[in-house]
């Protein structure tokens, strides 16, 4: 498979490495990035990044390839996706797919025009063995009707400090922490519920990464702990006095259109991190943790443990609990065989809209009703917003 890359950051540098390990014919023909943070990871594995281009248009005109991969900062995704779709290409974009509700509408219109199947999205946790087993248990009827979910994504202080130093610290570029980091998780639970979120409330702020919590000279080594993960574009050395406008903790409550509910909690300063869930249904309960690598299912009537699985990443270097390897294989199978993917661009947009609603609720201290958003979103997916705009022009 031949790919072209727009935004050769750490993430696509890593995915390029994974793809090269499973496809002996994998080749990067060229890239666009003024400061390619992922270049070193490729070169260390002997992978050429191809020719450097100044614009996506020049890259598309100058090379022949099977897939355009987008790993640029989030606020640039919509424009780069548009360029790729208009050129007739198959496009893979990293999450989150766009950074606002209005951009969600705009991308829905593009999908209505160019088709949903030409846009793949890197919501990698959909490919994880644990999530696949959760959906298998659900399909087997072990849970019954999903009633409520308790879920979280908590990251260690070194990772939280990365968000305070990287370009992702600015909502205008990332879309907010809940969107940038937790859209994976929201997508998973949207899929488990099988319905769209309707009402959203949320609270949060920043209390850990603030000046009064900065380590003293005799305490933790700031360079070892809080600079372990390198930052890329617009990187900063500031952690506890960062100019970030993102949160470092947030809790949200969601009611879905079918009446199921969810609480979701995130925190960026958890020394023993976990990423867990408890899905409670009318017939059983599934409880698991992506970080700690387990999933148990219990029967509601007998209390019997009907599933007891443990999970381990395929290697110490593997990210996302082995899901990246499966995602790379599935993307390759889509390009070569047209095999359907377990997550769609529409799934990604729906998860993103939920994350954005959580921030709207938090900032406005209100309950957000998503019914009008879904009505307009569906109209855009059918191309109707475009026709209405054309008639009113």
């Amino acid at each position: 498979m031949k790919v072209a890359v727009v935004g050769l950051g750490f993430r696509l540098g890593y995915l390029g490495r994974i793809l090269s390990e499973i496809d002996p014919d994998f080749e990067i023909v060229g890239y666009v990035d003024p400061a390619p943070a992922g270049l070193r990871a490729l070169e260390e594995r002997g992978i050429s990044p191809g020719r450097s281009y100044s614009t996506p248009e020049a890259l598309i005109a100058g090379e022949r390839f099977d897939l355009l991969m987008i790993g640029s900062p989030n606020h640039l995704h919509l424009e780069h996706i548009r360029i790729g779709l208009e050129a007739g290409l198959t496009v893979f974009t990293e999450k989150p797919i766009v950074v606002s509700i209005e951009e969600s509408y705009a991308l829905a219109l593009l999908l209505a025009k160019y088709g949903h199947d030409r846009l793949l999205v890197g919501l990698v946790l959909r490919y994880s063995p644990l999530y696949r087993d959760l959906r298998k248990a659900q399909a087997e009827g072990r849970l019954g009707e999903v009633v409520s979910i308790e879920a979280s994504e908590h990251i260690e202080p070194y990772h939280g400090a990365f968000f305070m130093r990287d370009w992702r610290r600015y909502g205008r570029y990332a879309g907010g922490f809940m969107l940038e980091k937790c859209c994976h998780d929201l997508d998973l639970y949207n899929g488990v519920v099988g319905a769209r979120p309707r009402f959203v409330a949320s609270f949060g702020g920043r209390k850990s990464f603030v000046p009064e919590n900065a380590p003293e000279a005799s305490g933790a080594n700031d360079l070892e702990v809080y600079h372990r993960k390198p930052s890329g574009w617009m990187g900063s050395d500031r952690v506890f006095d960062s100019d970030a406008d993102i949160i470092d903790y947030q809790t949200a409550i969601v009611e879905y259109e079918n009446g199921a509910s969810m609480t979701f909690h995130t925190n960026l300063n958890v020394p023993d991190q976990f990423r867990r869930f408890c899905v409670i249904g009318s017939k059983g309960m599934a409880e698991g943790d992506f970080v700690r690598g387990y999933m148990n299912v219990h029967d509601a009537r007998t209390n019997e443990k009907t599933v007891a699985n443990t999970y381990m990443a395929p290697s110490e270097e593997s990210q996302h609990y082995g899901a990246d390897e499966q995602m790379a294989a599935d993307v390759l199978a889509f390009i070569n065989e047209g095999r359907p993917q377990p997550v769609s661009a529409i799934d990604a947009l729906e998860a993103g809209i939920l994350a954005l609603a959580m921030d709207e609720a938090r900032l406005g201290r209100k309950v957000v009703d998503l019914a009008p958003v879904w009505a307009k979103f569906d109209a855009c997916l059918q191309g109707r917003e475009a026709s209405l705009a054309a008639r009113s022009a």
Side-chain angles (χ1 to χ4, degrees):
M1 179 173 69
K2 293 184 177 182
V3 306
V5 174
V6 176
L8 184 53
F10 293 119
R11 177 62 182 159
L12 288 198
Y14 175 76
L15 285 182
R17 206 182 82 203
I18 297 297
L19 283 164
S20 71
E21 291 173 356
I22 65 172
D23 179 11
D25 297 322
F26 175 76
E27 180 185 355
I28 300 175
V29 299
Y31 70 94
V32 178
D33 195 321
L39 186 59
R40 182 177 177 182
L42 294 176
E43 292 177 338
E44 287 177 348
R45 296 299 178 104
I47 303 169
S48 169
R51 294 175 58 190
S52 173
Y53 289 84
S54 59
T55 67
E57 292 88 347
L59 171 62
I60 292 168
E63 303 289 347
R64 295 177 64 86
F65 49 90
D66 304 301
L67 182 67
L68 179 67
M69 300 189 75
I70 296 173
S72 50
N74 305 344
H75 70 294
L76 301 175
H77 284 183
L78 179 62
E79 177 64 8
H80 293 159
I81 292 168
R82 181 191 63 77
I83 291 169
L85 293 178
E86 288 181 349
L89 302 172
T90 300
V91 179
F92 171 95
T93 182
E94 260 303 318
K95 59 77 194 168
I97 201 163
V98 291
V99 297
S100 70
I101 300 292
E102 289 303 318
E103 284 194 354
S104 300
Y105 298 147
L107 183 53
L109 287 169
L110 286 173
L111 295 179
K113 183 175 182 180
Y114 295 107
H116 302 175
D117 294 340
R118 283 177 42 207
L119 181 59
L120 313 180
V121 61
L123 279 171
V124 67
L125 288 192
R126 283 265 189 154
Y127 299 82
S128 66
L130 193 162
Y131 185 68
R132 292 185 175 208
D133 286 347
L134 172 61
R135 295 309 304 273
K136 179 176 181 288
Q138 185 178 15
E140 291 170 348
R142 297 180 185 274
L143 305 182
E145 181 184 4
V146 174
V147 177
S148 61
I149 299 175
E150 179 183 286
S152 59
E153 181 185 9
H154 297 323
I155 62 176
E156 289 181 313
Y158 86 90
H159 202 170
F162 161 79
F163 278 95
M164 295 299 148
R165 294 184 291 104
D166 192 63
W167 60 264
R168 295 165 175 84
R169 70 188 184 273
Y170 299 125
R172 63 185 179 274
Y173 297 137
F177 180 83
M178 191 66 81
L179 177 68
E180 157 61 24
K181 189 71 175 72
C182 302
C183 63
H184 282 302
D185 306 78
L186 302 181
D187 168 61
L188 297 186
Y189 306 123
N190 283 355
V192 168
V193 172
R196 285 172 167 173
R198 173 67 190 273
F199 297 105
V200 184
S202 186
F203 305 92
R206 199 152 110 222
K207 295 176 71 69
S208 293
F209 291 103
V210 293
E212 53 266 35
N213 291 332
E216 299 177 0
S218 59
N221 186 317
D222 186 60
L223 290 177
E224 288 183 6
V225 177
Y226 300 110
H227 292 257
R228 187 189 313 170
K229 185 176 174 67
S231 57
W233 177 60
M234 297 196 70
S236 168
D237 291 333
R238 318 301 275 178
V239 176
F240 292 89
D241 55 352
S242 166
D243 61 352
D245 57 24
I246 59 171
I247 55 90
D248 62 22
Y249 72 98
Q250 190 167 343
T251 305
I253 307 171
V254 182
E255 183 178 67
Y256 286 86
E257 290 177 338
N258 63 0
S261 66
M262 176 174 72
T263 60
F264 186 82
H265 178 210
T266 188
N267 192 297
L268 284 66
N269 192 46
V270 180
D272 188 10
Q273 66 179 356
F274 54 93
R275 194 175 198 169
R276 66 191 180 202
F277 61 84
C278 183
V279 178
I280 303 171
S282 59
K283 296 182 179 180
M285 177 183 84
E287 183 181 10
D289 190 318
F290 289 92
V291 172
R292 297 174 184 179
Y294 74 89
M295 185 186 75
N296 298 323
V297 178
H298 284 81
D299 185 277
R301 292 172 176 80
T302 66
N303 291 344
E304 177 189 1
K305 184 185 289 186
T306 60
V307 176
N309 292 351
T310 58
Y311 304 88
M312 182 178 293
S315 72
E316 291 185 1
E317 293 182 337
S318 178
Q319 300 177 10
H320 296 112
Y321 334 111
D324 283 304
E325 291 81 356
Q326 185 61 56
M327 183 179 76
D330 281 16
V331 168
L332 185 63
F334 177 85
I335 296 299
N336 291 337
E337 306 165 20
R339 186 182 303 173
Q341 302 293 286
V343 62
S344 70
I346 295 174
D347 294 327
L349 286 168
E350 290 178 346
I353 286 170
L354 174 55
L356 292 162
M358 288 176 175
D359 276 342
E360 180 185 349
R362 176 180 62 84
L363 293 167
R365 303 188 72 81
K366 63 182 180 180
V367 175
V368 173
D369 182 357
L370 283 172
V373 174
W374 297 131
K376 185 170 181 179
F377 181 69
D378 286 337
C380 292
L381 284 176
Q382 297 167 20
R384 289 187 297 166
E385 284 292 304
S387 61
L388 287 172
R391 286 202 299 271
S392 61

